[in-house]
Amino acid sequence: MNAKPERNRAKVDARKRLQARMKKTTFPLSQVYRLLEPGPVVMVTTVREGRANIMTMSWHTMMEFEPPLVGCVISNRNHSFEILKATRECVINIPTVELAETVVGCGNTSGQRVDKFKAFRLTPVPAACVKAPLIAECHANLECKVIDGKLAAKYNFFVLEVVKAWIDPARKHPRTIHHQGEGVFMVAGRTIHLPSPITSRLAK
Amino acid sequence: MNAKPERNRAKVDARKRLQARMKKTTFPLSQVYRLLEPGPVVMVTTVREGRANIMTMSWHTMMEFEPPLVGCVISNRNHSFEILKATRECVINIPTVELAETVVGCGNTSGQRVDKFKAFRLTPVPAACVKAPLIAECHANLECKVIDGKLAAKYNFFVLEVVKAWIDPARKHPRTIHHQGEGVFMVAGRTIHLPSPITSRLAK
């Protein structure tokens, strides 16, 4: 009897156990824009030859609702640029203010020399659809595949498709952080709801 | 004697007087990323054949520090898409929470039928380098030119260069608003400063 299917099943079970321990649920792809549109600093994870890396990123934008497309700039001076170009996979992890020091630390070190998961005591969790790991400590995780790298040479710009999204259902008001340059971050404040009374009076 | 230079001078003087009344100062181009990186909702103004339009936008990202490049998605279902494609100029105006209802109203009406400056009582001020007007009520204004429209057909994506930036120096902590979908906006909260003690301990 071939032991390979058994080993594969055991591997899948172990991955699912780790994902379950993370206590996150699947988040609908059609709602992903609600996480990225407000402009939070994110942590991008990649992996090559079994070595995972993390980089801090603020230059990203939604490009389509569904399937959710995300455009982002990853400088070719970053270790992650070459890994993303080669593997065409990553995870966008969204941290909250509790992780602010870690976010800055990850942004100011290079994965060429430092194992950032170890250095910053972050927990890698296997993703469902890509090889790059999720960061358990982040409140949401978006598994992504590069679908267009045509602007990578000129602008370091990649178009990603989010293929799977995770969210921590226990975090009702995650306080994301928003970079304002030179070590200053805005912390997400109160929310307001605008049913738009003006709109209803004006024809489209 | 040709009256044209006189008329031109009078026009320039009138424009400068209006700009002065707006009480904004020039903002260094190298610092523009600090305004857009946190992900505020913005209002994009365009003009064609003397008719100015305004649209609300959240899908934008910085792409380069200097000259500042901004990538943005403007749907081809918007009236502004065709104007931007034709004129290759616009202004990105950054509103604060006081304008929240106006922002939503502009986002839910079409410039094809409504003069939004009139409908929402906004003040157009002549820009310095582009024909599209600045919105006086916004705390910052970025005059932009389209430098790359290659991804417009596929993704409605434009690369803009900011050629001139204005800021209201009296507004120390502008409360920008950040769209979270379905009429919910996060209002910019407190700021934190992270000199990054972790970073200094780790080699780059």
Side-chain angles (χ1 to χ4, degrees), chain A residues 4-161:
Chain A
K4 216 175 162 197
E6 286 257 327
R7 271 210 305 276
N8 276 350
R9 207 179 313 131
K11 227 169 150 182
V12 168
D13 286 349
R15 194 185 72 196
K16 287 195 171 160
R17 269 200 305 278
L18 277 166
Q19 285 170 353
R21 264 180 48 200
M22 185 174 64
K23 288 185 182 150
K24 280 184 191 149
T25 54
T26 289
F27 188 67
L29 293 180
S30 62
Q31 300 297 303
V32 162
Y33 78 98
R34 305 185 68 168
L35 302 173
L36 287 187
E37 201 170 308
V41 174
V42 300
M43 297 164 92
V44 177
T45 45
T46 47
V47 72
R48 187 164 56 174
E49 291 161 14
R51 225 179 133 219
N53 192 30
I54 307 173
M55 69 160 270
T56 297
M57 176 174 84
S58 266
W59 289 11
H60 56 79
T61 177
M62 287 304 300
M63 292 181 76
E64 187 51 89
F65 288 105
E66 200 171 9
L69 301 186
V70 179
C72 65
V73 177
I74 294 183
S75 164
N76 57 15
R77 292 185 303 271
N78 283 314
H79 188 47
S80 300
F81 178 85
E82 286 302 332
I83 308 178
L84 189 62
K85 255 183 71 176
T87 65
R88 300 180 73 84
E89 291 187 352
C90 67
V91 178
I92 295 177
N93 304 273
I94 309 180
T96 43
V97 65
E98 299 79 9
L99 286 175
E101 288 213 357
T102 302
V103 169
V104 174
C106 281
N108 286 307
T109 47
S110 170
Q112 268 188 307
R113 300 192 191 178
V114 177
D115 177 337
K116 300 200 198 177
F117 273 99
K118 271 194 191 161
F120 298 105
R121 296 182 189 186
L122 294 167
T123 316
V125 174
C129 307
V130 300
K131 288 198 179 112
L134 317 174
I135 300 175
E137 287 79 4
C138 289
H139 88 97
N141 316 85
L142 312 175
E143 302 184 19
C144 299
K145 296 197 178 191
V146 174
I147 60 155
D148 199 330
K150 276 198 284 294
L151 290 192
K154 195 164 180 191
Y155 299 110
N156 298 326
F157 186 78
F158 296 90
V159 182
L160 312 174
E161 179 181 336

